Amino acid sequence: MNLSSLKPAAGSVKVGKRVGRGQGSGKGGTSARGHKGAQSRSGYSRKVGFEGGQMPLQRRLPKFGFNNINRVEYKALNLDAIQNLAEKTNATVITLDMIRENGLCAKKDLVKILNRGAITSAVEVQANGFSSSAIESIEKAGGKAVKL
């Protein structure tokens, strides 16, 4: 195999349609654009969502809901993930930095601990938020939940 023997995959390269090359080609005259109207003119570009004058879908559907600009988004982290991290690192204190270093959340994420799975290690967990059932489970295992 060498550079002179390389070919594109069969069917991957199409020959473009040649328009405006005489009546015999079948694409002469109006160059397959039809007669008159905006679409036949050069430089025409249709607006996104334009439906030929019909009321567009985004205007036919009702508006609903709202986005709260003060919403605080938390990255949910479950107790089973905390348990795995505690076993992996043999740590007694699990900090936000440790959670970030192990790839469980991004640098700017706020972390909230939720009560899925079980925790058996007595660890101090530091996070931005806890569900009440998660605090209960951590303390039952002999640990401590520290809200930052």
Short mmCIF file of all heavy atoms in Angstrom, two decimals, residues 26-81:
data_model
loop_
_atom_site.label_atom_id
_atom_site.label_comp_id
_atom_site.label_asym_id
_atom_site.label_seq_id
_atom_site.Cartn_x
_atom_site.Cartn_y
_atom_site.Cartn_z
N GLY A 26 -30.97 19.16 -18.53
CA GLY A 26 -32.12 19.00 -17.64
C GLY A 26 -32.06 19.96 -16.46
O GLY A 26 -32.99 20.07 -15.68
N LYS A 27 -30.92 20.66 -16.30
CA LYS A 27 -30.77 21.63 -15.21
C LYS A 27 -30.35 22.98 -15.79
O LYS A 27 -29.62 23.73 -15.16
CB LYS A 27 -29.68 21.16 -14.22
CG LYS A 27 -29.96 19.82 -13.56
CD LYS A 27 -30.74 20.00 -12.29
CE LYS A 27 -30.84 18.71 -11.49
NZ LYS A 27 -31.85 17.80 -11.99
N GLY A 28 -30.80 23.29 -16.99
CA GLY A 28 -30.45 24.56 -17.62
C GLY A 28 -31.53 25.59 -17.34
O GLY A 28 -32.38 25.40 -16.47
N GLY A 29 -31.50 26.69 -18.03
CA GLY A 29 -32.55 27.71 -17.89
C GLY A 29 -32.60 28.31 -16.50
O GLY A 29 -31.82 29.19 -16.17
N THR A 30 -33.48 27.78 -15.66
CA THR A 30 -33.64 28.33 -14.31
C THR A 30 -32.69 27.68 -13.31
O THR A 30 -32.75 27.97 -12.11
CB THR A 30 -35.08 28.13 -13.81
OG1 THR A 30 -35.36 26.73 -13.81
CG2 THR A 30 -36.09 28.85 -14.68
N SER A 31 -31.83 26.79 -13.77
CA SER A 31 -30.85 26.10 -12.92
C SER A 31 -31.50 25.38 -11.75
O SER A 31 -31.02 25.43 -10.62
CB SER A 31 -29.80 27.09 -12.40
OG SER A 31 -29.12 27.66 -13.48
N ALA A 32 -32.62 24.72 -11.99
CA ALA A 32 -33.34 23.90 -11.01
C ALA A 32 -33.89 24.72 -9.84
O ALA A 32 -34.16 24.19 -8.79
CB ALA A 32 -32.44 22.78 -10.49
N ARG A 33 -34.03 26.06 -10.05
CA ARG A 33 -34.55 26.91 -8.97
C ARG A 33 -36.01 27.31 -9.20
O ARG A 33 -36.61 27.97 -8.33
CB ARG A 33 -33.73 28.20 -8.86
CG ARG A 33 -32.36 28.00 -8.20
CD ARG A 33 -31.53 29.27 -8.38
NE ARG A 33 -30.28 29.20 -7.64
CZ ARG A 33 -30.06 29.86 -6.51
NH1 ARG A 33 -30.99 30.63 -5.98
NH2 ARG A 33 -28.89 29.78 -5.92
N GLY A 34 -36.59 26.98 -10.33
CA GLY A 34 -37.97 27.39 -10.62
C GLY A 34 -38.01 28.84 -11.05
O GLY A 34 -37.00 29.50 -11.15
N HIS A 35 -39.24 29.33 -11.34
CA HIS A 35 -39.40 30.70 -11.84
C HIS A 35 -39.71 31.67 -10.71
O HIS A 35 -40.54 31.38 -9.85
CB HIS A 35 -40.53 30.74 -12.87
CG HIS A 35 -40.23 29.95 -14.09
ND1 HIS A 35 -39.42 30.40 -15.09
CD2 HIS A 35 -40.61 28.70 -14.46
CE1 HIS A 35 -39.32 29.48 -16.03
NE2 HIS A 35 -40.03 28.43 -15.67
N LYS A 36 -39.09 32.81 -10.73
CA LYS A 36 -39.35 33.92 -9.81
C LYS A 36 -39.35 33.53 -8.33
O LYS A 36 -39.07 32.41 -7.97
CB LYS A 36 -40.67 34.61 -10.17
CG LYS A 36 -40.68 35.25 -11.54
CD LYS A 36 -41.97 36.04 -11.71
CE LYS A 36 -42.12 36.56 -13.14
NZ LYS A 36 -43.45 37.16 -13.31
N GLY A 37 -39.66 34.47 -7.47
CA GLY A 37 -39.72 34.22 -6.03
C GLY A 37 -38.36 34.33 -5.38
O GLY A 37 -37.32 34.27 -6.04
N ALA A 38 -38.38 34.48 -4.05
CA ALA A 38 -37.14 34.70 -3.31
C ALA A 38 -36.14 33.57 -3.48
O ALA A 38 -34.94 33.79 -3.58
CB ALA A 38 -37.45 34.91 -1.83
N GLN A 39 -36.64 32.33 -3.52
CA GLN A 39 -35.73 31.19 -3.58
C GLN A 39 -34.97 31.10 -4.89
O GLN A 39 -33.93 30.45 -4.97
CB GLN A 39 -36.50 29.88 -3.36
CG GLN A 39 -37.02 29.74 -1.95
CD GLN A 39 -37.81 28.45 -1.77
OE1 GLN A 39 -37.25 27.38 -1.83
NE2 GLN A 39 -39.10 28.59 -1.57
N SER A 40 -35.47 31.78 -5.93
CA SER A 40 -34.78 31.72 -7.22
C SER A 40 -33.66 32.76 -7.30
O SER A 40 -32.82 32.70 -8.18
CB SER A 40 -35.77 31.96 -8.35
OG SER A 40 -36.20 33.31 -8.35
N ARG A 41 -33.66 33.72 -6.36
CA ARG A 41 -32.67 34.80 -6.42
C ARG A 41 -31.35 34.40 -5.75
O ARG A 41 -31.35 33.58 -4.83
CB ARG A 41 -33.19 36.05 -5.69
CG ARG A 41 -34.62 36.42 -5.95
CD ARG A 41 -34.80 37.03 -7.33
NE ARG A 41 -36.18 37.54 -7.46
CZ ARG A 41 -36.82 37.57 -8.61
NH1 ARG A 41 -36.25 37.14 -9.72
NH2 ARG A 41 -38.05 38.03 -8.68
N SER A 42 -30.28 35.04 -6.18
CA SER A 42 -29.00 34.78 -5.53
C SER A 42 -28.99 35.50 -4.19
O SER A 42 -29.65 36.52 -4.02
CB SER A 42 -27.85 35.28 -6.40
OG SER A 42 -27.87 36.69 -6.47
N GLY A 43 -28.25 34.96 -3.24
CA GLY A 43 -28.14 35.58 -1.94
C GLY A 43 -29.29 35.30 -1.01
O GLY A 43 -29.35 35.82 0.10
N TYR A 44 -30.24 34.45 -1.43
CA TYR A 44 -31.41 34.16 -0.59
C TYR A 44 -31.03 33.17 0.50
O TYR A 44 -30.36 32.18 0.25
CB TYR A 44 -32.53 33.56 -1.44
CG TYR A 44 -33.67 32.98 -0.63
CD1 TYR A 44 -34.55 33.80 0.06
CD2 TYR A 44 -33.84 31.60 -0.51
CE1 TYR A 44 -35.57 33.28 0.82
CE2 TYR A 44 -34.87 31.07 0.25
CZ TYR A 44 -35.73 31.91 0.90
OH TYR A 44 -36.75 31.40 1.66
N SER A 45 -31.43 33.47 1.75
CA SER A 45 -31.29 32.47 2.81
C SER A 45 -32.54 32.52 3.65
O SER A 45 -32.96 33.59 4.12
CB SER A 45 -30.05 32.75 3.66
OG SER A 45 -30.16 33.99 4.30
N ARG A 46 -33.15 31.37 3.85
CA ARG A 46 -34.41 31.27 4.60
C ARG A 46 -34.14 31.35 6.09
O ARG A 46 -33.14 30.83 6.57
CB ARG A 46 -35.05 29.91 4.27
CG ARG A 46 -36.38 29.67 4.94
CD ARG A 46 -36.90 28.27 4.67
NE ARG A 46 -37.31 28.11 3.29
CZ ARG A 46 -36.91 27.12 2.50
NH1 ARG A 46 -36.06 26.23 2.93
NH2 ARG A 46 -37.36 27.03 1.28
N LYS A 47 -35.02 32.03 6.83
CA LYS A 47 -34.87 32.11 8.28
C LYS A 47 -35.05 30.74 8.91
O LYS A 47 -35.83 29.92 8.43
CB LYS A 47 -35.93 33.04 8.87
CG LYS A 47 -35.66 34.52 8.62
CD LYS A 47 -36.58 35.36 9.48
CE LYS A 47 -36.24 36.82 9.39
NZ LYS A 47 -37.07 37.55 8.43
N VAL A 48 -34.35 30.49 10.02
CA VAL A 48 -34.49 29.23 10.75
C VAL A 48 -35.92 29.14 11.27
O VAL A 48 -36.44 30.07 11.87
CB VAL A 48 -33.50 29.18 11.94
CG1 VAL A 48 -33.72 27.93 12.76
CG2 VAL A 48 -32.08 29.24 11.43
N GLY A 49 -36.57 28.02 11.01
CA GLY A 49 -37.94 27.82 11.49
C GLY A 49 -39.00 28.42 10.58
O GLY A 49 -40.18 28.36 10.90
N PHE A 50 -38.60 29.01 9.44
CA PHE A 50 -39.59 29.60 8.53
C PHE A 50 -40.37 28.50 7.84
O PHE A 50 -39.81 27.52 7.38
CB PHE A 50 -38.88 30.48 7.49
CG PHE A 50 -39.82 31.20 6.56
CD1 PHE A 50 -40.67 32.19 7.05
CD2 PHE A 50 -39.87 30.88 5.21
CE1 PHE A 50 -41.54 32.85 6.20
CE2 PHE A 50 -40.75 31.53 4.37
CZ PHE A 50 -41.59 32.53 4.87
N GLU A 51 -41.70 28.65 7.82
CA GLU A 51 -42.56 27.61 7.25
C GLU A 51 -43.39 28.14 6.09
O GLU A 51 -44.56 27.79 5.92
CB GLU A 51 -43.47 27.02 8.34
CG GLU A 51 -42.69 26.34 9.44
CD GLU A 51 -43.58 25.69 10.48
OE1 GLU A 51 -44.78 25.47 10.19
OE2 GLU A 51 -43.08 25.40 11.57
N GLY A 52 -42.82 29.06 5.30
CA GLY A 52 -43.51 29.54 4.11
C GLY A 52 -44.67 30.47 4.42
O GLY A 52 -45.62 30.56 3.66
N GLY A 53 -44.63 31.15 5.56
CA GLY A 53 -45.71 32.07 5.91
C GLY A 53 -46.68 31.47 6.91
O GLY A 53 -47.40 32.18 7.59
N GLN A 54 -46.72 30.12 6.99
CA GLN A 54 -47.53 29.46 8.02
C GLN A 54 -46.94 29.81 9.38
O GLN A 54 -45.75 30.02 9.50
CB GLN A 54 -47.48 27.95 7.78
CG GLN A 54 -48.13 27.11 8.87
CD GLN A 54 -48.12 25.65 8.52
OE1 GLN A 54 -48.64 25.24 7.49
NE2 GLN A 54 -47.51 24.85 9.37
N MET A 55 -47.80 29.90 10.40
CA MET A 55 -47.33 30.23 11.75
C MET A 55 -46.33 29.17 12.19
O MET A 55 -46.67 27.99 12.27
CB MET A 55 -48.52 30.27 12.71
CG MET A 55 -48.19 30.78 14.09
SD MET A 55 -47.55 32.46 14.16
CE MET A 55 -48.95 33.42 13.64
N PRO A 56 -45.08 29.55 12.47
CA PRO A 56 -44.06 28.55 12.79
C PRO A 56 -44.32 27.83 14.11
O PRO A 56 -44.99 28.37 15.00
CB PRO A 56 -42.76 29.34 12.85
CG PRO A 56 -43.13 30.76 12.81
CD PRO A 56 -44.54 30.89 12.41
N LEU A 57 -43.77 26.64 14.21
CA LEU A 57 -44.01 25.77 15.37
C LEU A 57 -43.68 26.47 16.68
O LEU A 57 -44.43 26.37 17.64
CB LEU A 57 -43.19 24.49 15.23
CG LEU A 57 -43.36 23.45 16.33
CD1 LEU A 57 -44.78 22.88 16.28
CD2 LEU A 57 -42.35 22.35 16.21
N GLN A 58 -42.55 27.19 16.73
CA GLN A 58 -42.15 27.82 17.99
C GLN A 58 -43.10 28.94 18.40
O GLN A 58 -43.10 29.37 19.55
CB GLN A 58 -40.70 28.31 17.93
CG GLN A 58 -40.45 29.54 17.08
CD GLN A 58 -40.13 29.20 15.64
OE1 GLN A 58 -40.47 28.15 15.14
NE2 GLN A 58 -39.49 30.13 14.95
N ARG A 59 -43.94 29.42 17.48
CA ARG A 59 -44.94 30.43 17.85
C ARG A 59 -46.32 29.81 18.07
O ARG A 59 -47.17 30.42 18.71
CB ARG A 59 -45.02 31.51 16.78
CG ARG A 59 -43.78 32.40 16.78
CD ARG A 59 -43.93 33.64 15.94
NE ARG A 59 -45.03 34.47 16.39
CZ ARG A 59 -45.65 35.37 15.61
NH1 ARG A 59 -45.27 35.56 14.36
NH2 ARG A 59 -46.64 36.09 16.09
N ARG A 60 -46.54 28.60 17.53
CA ARG A 60 -47.84 27.92 17.74
C ARG A 60 -47.94 27.32 19.14
O ARG A 60 -49.02 27.18 19.68
CB ARG A 60 -48.02 26.79 16.71
CG ARG A 60 -48.24 27.26 15.31
CD ARG A 60 -48.83 26.18 14.42
NE ARG A 60 -48.00 24.99 14.33
CZ ARG A 60 -47.17 24.71 13.35
NH1 ARG A 60 -47.00 25.58 12.35
NH2 ARG A 60 -46.49 23.58 13.34
N LEU A 61 -46.78 26.94 19.71
CA LEU A 61 -46.80 26.29 21.02
C LEU A 61 -46.82 27.34 22.13
O LEU A 61 -46.20 28.40 22.00
CB LEU A 61 -45.55 25.41 21.18
CG LEU A 61 -45.44 24.25 20.20
CD1 LEU A 61 -44.12 23.54 20.40
CD2 LEU A 61 -46.59 23.28 20.37
N PRO A 62 -47.52 27.06 23.24
CA PRO A 62 -47.58 28.03 24.33
C PRO A 62 -46.27 28.10 25.10
O PRO A 62 -45.51 27.14 25.14
CB PRO A 62 -48.70 27.48 25.22
CG PRO A 62 -48.69 26.01 24.96
CD PRO A 62 -48.30 25.85 23.53
N LYS A 63 -46.04 29.27 25.70
CA LYS A 63 -44.88 29.42 26.58
C LYS A 63 -45.25 28.83 27.93
O LYS A 63 -46.40 28.89 28.34
CB LYS A 63 -44.53 30.90 26.78
CG LYS A 63 -44.11 31.60 25.50
CD LYS A 63 -43.36 32.88 25.79
CE LYS A 63 -44.29 34.00 26.19
NZ LYS A 63 -43.59 35.28 26.33
N PHE A 64 -44.29 28.20 28.60
CA PHE A 64 -44.61 27.68 29.93
C PHE A 64 -43.36 27.67 30.80
O PHE A 64 -42.25 27.60 30.29
CB PHE A 64 -45.22 26.28 29.87
CG PHE A 64 -44.31 25.23 29.32
CD1 PHE A 64 -43.53 24.46 30.16
CD2 PHE A 64 -44.21 25.02 27.96
CE1 PHE A 64 -42.68 23.50 29.66
CE2 PHE A 64 -43.36 24.06 27.45
CZ PHE A 64 -42.59 23.29 28.30
N GLY A 65 -43.59 27.74 32.11
CA GLY A 65 -42.48 27.67 33.06
C GLY A 65 -41.64 28.93 33.06
O GLY A 65 -41.91 29.89 32.36
N PHE A 66 -40.61 28.91 33.88
CA PHE A 66 -39.67 30.02 33.94
C PHE A 66 -38.35 29.47 34.47
O PHE A 66 -38.30 28.39 35.04
CB PHE A 66 -40.20 31.14 34.83
CG PHE A 66 -40.08 30.88 36.30
CD1 PHE A 66 -39.11 31.52 37.06
CD2 PHE A 66 -40.93 29.98 36.94
CE1 PHE A 66 -39.00 31.27 38.42
CE2 PHE A 66 -40.82 29.73 38.29
CZ PHE A 66 -39.85 30.37 39.03
N ASN A 67 -37.28 30.21 34.25
CA ASN A 67 -35.97 29.84 34.78
C ASN A 67 -35.63 30.75 35.94
O ASN A 67 -35.54 31.97 35.77
CB ASN A 67 -34.90 29.95 33.70
CG ASN A 67 -35.01 28.84 32.68
OD1 ASN A 67 -35.42 27.73 33.01
ND2 ASN A 67 -34.66 29.14 31.43
N ASN A 68 -35.44 30.17 37.09
CA ASN A 68 -35.11 30.93 38.28
C ASN A 68 -33.64 31.35 38.20
O ASN A 68 -32.75 30.50 38.18
CB ASN A 68 -35.36 30.06 39.52
CG ASN A 68 -35.12 30.81 40.81
OD1 ASN A 68 -34.72 31.97 40.79
ND2 ASN A 68 -35.36 30.15 41.92
N ILE A 69 -33.40 32.66 38.17
CA ILE A 69 -32.02 33.14 38.02
C ILE A 69 -31.20 32.95 39.30
O ILE A 69 -29.99 33.03 39.28
CB ILE A 69 -31.96 34.63 37.59
CG1 ILE A 69 -32.68 35.52 38.59
CG2 ILE A 69 -32.51 34.80 36.19
CD1 ILE A 69 -32.44 37.01 38.38
N ASN A 70 -31.89 32.69 40.42
CA ASN A 70 -31.18 32.49 41.69
C ASN A 70 -30.99 31.02 42.04
O ASN A 70 -30.56 30.70 43.15
CB ASN A 70 -31.95 33.19 42.83
CG ASN A 70 -32.05 34.67 42.60
OD1 ASN A 70 -31.07 35.30 42.20
ND2 ASN A 70 -33.22 35.24 42.80
N ARG A 71 -31.30 30.11 41.10
CA ARG A 71 -31.19 28.68 41.37
C ARG A 71 -29.74 28.29 41.67
O ARG A 71 -28.81 28.75 41.00
CB ARG A 71 -31.68 27.89 40.16
CG ARG A 71 -31.57 26.39 40.34
CD ARG A 71 -32.15 25.67 39.13
NE ARG A 71 -31.78 24.26 39.12
CZ ARG A 71 -32.34 23.34 39.88
NH1 ARG A 71 -33.30 23.66 40.73
NH2 ARG A 71 -31.96 22.07 39.78
N VAL A 72 -29.57 27.45 42.69
CA VAL A 72 -28.24 26.95 43.04
C VAL A 72 -28.20 25.47 42.64
O VAL A 72 -28.98 24.66 43.13
CB VAL A 72 -27.97 27.10 44.55
CG1 VAL A 72 -26.62 26.51 44.91
CG2 VAL A 72 -28.04 28.56 44.94
N GLU A 73 -27.32 25.14 41.71
CA GLU A 73 -27.22 23.78 41.17
C GLU A 73 -26.16 23.00 41.95
O GLU A 73 -25.02 23.46 42.05
CB GLU A 73 -26.83 23.86 39.69
CG GLU A 73 -27.01 22.57 38.93
CD GLU A 73 -28.45 22.26 38.57
OE1 GLU A 73 -29.18 23.15 38.14
OE2 GLU A 73 -28.83 21.08 38.75
N TYR A 74 -26.55 21.85 42.48
CA TYR A 74 -25.62 21.00 43.22
C TYR A 74 -25.28 19.75 42.41
O TYR A 74 -26.13 19.25 41.67
CB TYR A 74 -26.23 20.54 44.56
CG TYR A 74 -26.28 21.62 45.62
CD1 TYR A 74 -27.43 22.37 45.81
CD2 TYR A 74 -25.18 21.86 46.43
CE1 TYR A 74 -27.48 23.36 46.79
CE2 TYR A 74 -25.22 22.84 47.42
CZ TYR A 74 -26.37 23.59 47.58
OH TYR A 74 -26.42 24.56 48.54
N LYS A 75 -24.08 19.25 42.58
CA LYS A 75 -23.70 17.95 42.01
C LYS A 75 -24.04 16.91 43.06
O LYS A 75 -23.54 16.95 44.18
CB LYS A 75 -22.19 17.93 41.71
CG LYS A 75 -21.64 16.58 41.31
CD LYS A 75 -21.87 16.32 39.84
CE LYS A 75 -21.12 15.09 39.36
NZ LYS A 75 -21.83 13.85 39.53
N ALA A 76 -24.93 15.99 42.73
CA ALA A 76 -25.37 14.97 43.69
C ALA A 76 -24.31 13.89 43.80
O ALA A 76 -23.78 13.40 42.80
CB ALA A 76 -26.69 14.37 43.23
N LEU A 77 -23.99 13.54 45.03
CA LEU A 77 -23.01 12.49 45.30
C LEU A 77 -23.63 11.57 46.35
O LEU A 77 -24.04 12.04 47.41
CB LEU A 77 -21.72 13.12 45.80
CG LEU A 77 -20.44 12.33 45.61
CD1 LEU A 77 -20.18 12.07 44.14
CD2 LEU A 77 -19.27 13.08 46.20
N ASN A 78 -23.70 10.28 46.05
CA ASN A 78 -24.37 9.36 46.95
C ASN A 78 -23.41 8.72 47.95
O ASN A 78 -22.20 8.72 47.75
CB ASN A 78 -25.09 8.28 46.13
CG ASN A 78 -26.30 8.85 45.42
OD1 ASN A 78 -27.24 9.30 46.05
ND2 ASN A 78 -26.26 8.85 44.10
N LEU A 79 -24.00 8.17 49.01
CA LEU A 79 -23.19 7.58 50.08
C LEU A 79 -22.34 6.41 49.60
O LEU A 79 -21.24 6.19 50.10
CB LEU A 79 -24.09 7.13 51.23
CG LEU A 79 -24.64 8.25 52.12
CD1 LEU A 79 -25.51 7.67 53.21
CD2 LEU A 79 -23.53 9.08 52.72
N ASP A 80 -22.85 5.64 48.60
CA ASP A 80 -22.05 4.51 48.10
C ASP A 80 -20.75 5.00 47.46
O ASP A 80 -19.70 4.36 47.59
CB ASP A 80 -22.86 3.62 47.15
CG ASP A 80 -23.59 4.38 46.06
OD1 ASP A 80 -23.36 5.60 45.93
OD2 ASP A 80 -24.38 3.76 45.34
N ALA A 81 -20.79 6.17 46.80
CA ALA A 81 -19.57 6.75 46.22
C ALA A 81 -18.61 7.21 47.31
O ALA A 81 -17.38 7.04 47.20
CB ALA A 81 -19.93 7.93 45.31
#
